[in-house]
Amino acid sequence: MSSASKGDRKASLDAASWLFNVVTSVAIILVNKALMAKYGFSFATTLTGMHFATTTLLTVILKSLGYIQTSHLPTADIIKFVLFANFSIVGMNVSLMWNSVGFYQIAKLTMIPVSCLLEVVLDNVRYSRDTKLSILLVLIGVAVCTVTDVSVNAKGFIAAVIAVWSTALQQYYVHFLQRKYSIGSFNLLGHTAPAQAASLLLVGPFMDYWLTNKRVDAYDYGLTSILFIILSCTIAVGTNLSQFICIGRFTAVSFQVLGHMKTILVLFLGFIFFGKEGLNIQVVLGMAIAIAGMVWYGNASSKPGGKERRSLSIPTTKTQDYATLPVSSESVEEV
């Protein structure tokens, strides 16, 4: 296969990966918004545990059918990954409870510079001036259209710091593990999803009761709410898988930067489906700035020297070309 054909195939798979992630992420946010706002199912941590339980079930079925190859991941790495991921989920929920929405959004924006720092320190990645400026433009645009009131307290600040660093480490670790052990996204999910499901379903009800003062077992389950929960869990499989695909094919920084397109889409679709309250010139301007920054980032980071790893210090246990992995062989957006 010629280099041009390989490049075209990689570009097509990259675009399909991003589209898969954007569609599933936006869909699950809208479904969960309806589930929580309309039907009062406010048990976010427990729901995330259900998501990973559904993902585990699918990986077990596919593995038994031979669609997922057997792979090895050390228990120590699984434990570290699950700790990062669960602290991320719980930290985000606690941060939103203890801080204003404005500060919560600012905390989410800081994940990009933190992810950049991790790549610079751990992977010796260097960014060009245009790449840095494009990231800054994305941050400004998203801040303009999402940050309103900003108030913070000591415990809220600590929760936000834990949430930001654990999320950045979890996303970095997705890319790290796939490179180090040369495993696909479904394989990595097969190793990590069971542990996340068990831990979140165990801790989730207690965490949700602390956050909402409501018990998940006392919720009035109706046919419609159950169908929404099933729909949410089904979409979550795609969301978890697509996150691992995108971070595996790209990096955590690119996932965060271009991932803000989902923020813009959620805002836009929210105005369409849930009313135009809050839509003003500031929001429209912020969306335009953020989109311009994303386009600039995509162009700047793809140029020679735009974003490069000076030395590759991570040994791999097997050799595999991740640029040619099919999308079908490759999480969670916080609720």
Side-chain angles (χ1 to χ4, degrees):
M1 184 182 291
S2 66
S3 59
S5 298
K6 286 184 177 180
D8 291 341
R9 185 169 183 268
K10 182 182 184 303
S12 298
L13 289 175
D14 288 349
S17 301
W18 279 117
L19 182 62
F20 183 30
N21 181 253
V22 168
V23 170
T24 55
S25 297
V26 171
I28 197 172
I29 290 172
L30 294 177
V31 168
N32 288 345
K33 185 173 181 179
L35 178 63
M36 294 181 178
K38 188 173 182 180
Y39 298 101
F41 191 85
S42 55
F43 311 103
T45 309
T46 304
L47 182 62
T48 307
M50 295 179 186
H51 290 170
F52 282 106
T54 308
T55 304
T56 299
L57 178 62
L58 180 62
T59 58
V60 169
I61 293 174
L62 291 178
K63 191 171 184 178
S64 66
L65 295 175
Y67 289 105
I68 300 179
Q69 296 179 346
T70 302
S71 60
H72 173 69
L73 190 64
T75 303
D77 285 321
I78 296 176
I79 292 174
K80 282 188 284 187
F81 179 88
V82 171
L83 285 175
F84 292 148
N86 287 356
F87 269 109
S88 168
I89 294 166
V90 174
M92 281 296 176
N93 291 335
V94 173
S95 175
L96 183 58
M97 180 183 72
W98 284 347
N99 295 314
S100 65
V101 175
F103 185 79
Y104 172 79
Q105 291 292 349
I106 290 176
K108 285 181 65 178
L109 291 177
T110 61
M111 289 179 195
I112 294 180
V114 170
S115 296
C116 288
L117 178 62
L118 288 176
E119 288 191 356
V120 168
V121 173
L122 300 178
D123 286 347
N124 201 21
V125 171
R126 295 296 180 264
Y127 299 90
S128 68
R129 183 178 62 88
D130 282 358
T131 303
K132 294 174 184 176
L133 290 175
S134 65
I135 292 174
L136 179 61
L137 190 63
V138 172
L139 294 175
I140 292 172
V142 176
V144 167
C145 63
T146 61
V147 177
T148 51
D149 62 310
V150 178
S151 61
V152 64
N153 54 69
K155 63 180 183 180
F157 179 80
I158 293 173
V161 170
I162 293 174
V164 167
W165 276 94
S166 57
T167 301
L169 284 166
Q170 181 257 345
Q171 293 183 356
Y172 172 83
Y173 221 52
V174 169
H175 190 70
F176 171 85
L177 292 175
Q178 291 191 51
R179 282 192 296 132
K180 182 176 181 180
Y181 297 105
S182 295
I183 57 176
S185 296
F186 245 134
N187 292 89
L188 185 56
L189 269 177
H191 287 294
T192 59
Q196 280 194 265
S199 56
L200 289 174
L201 288 176
L202 181 64
V203 176
F206 300 100
M207 179 62 63
D208 289 329
Y209 180 76
W210 178 51
L211 293 172
T212 66
N213 203 31
K214 297 177 183 178
R215 288 170 46 184
V216 66
D217 61 312
Y219 176 75
D220 184 17
Y221 294 91
L223 178 60
T224 307
S225 61
I226 291 175
L227 289 176
F228 265 91
I229 292 172
I230 294 173
L231 180 60
S232 177
C233 290
T234 303
I235 299 173
V237 175
T239 306
N240 292 335
L241 177 60
S242 65
Q243 184 194 51
F244 280 32
I245 291 173
C246 289
I247 297 177
R249 295 188 70 84
F250 310 104
T251 64
V253 173
S254 294
F255 180 76
Q256 283 285 344
V257 173
L258 300 181
H260 279 298
M261 177 60 74
K262 293 176 288 188
T263 304
I264 304 302
L265 279 175
V266 168
L267 281 172
F268 180 72
L269 294 175
F271 293 137
I272 293 177
F273 293 113
F274 300 102
K276 294 182 174 58
E277 181 181 354
L279 180 62
N280 51 49
I281 188 64
Q282 176 183 331
V283 172
V284 174
L285 177 63
M287 289 181 177
I289 294 173
I291 292 173
M294 293 171 202
V295 173
W296 188 10
Y297 174 82
N299 182 56
S301 62
S302 63
K303 289 181 177 178
K307 179 181 178 181
E308 59 184 8
R309 182 176 287 107
R310 295 294 176 84
S311 62
L312 190 61
S313 59
I314 299 176
T316 57
T317 56
K318 291 188 288 184
T319 301
Q320 191 170 3
D321 183 3
Y322 270 83
T324 61
L325 279 179
V327 172
S328 59
S329 70
E330 294 286 324
S331 261
V332 71
E333 195 77 9
E334 81 265 2
V335 182

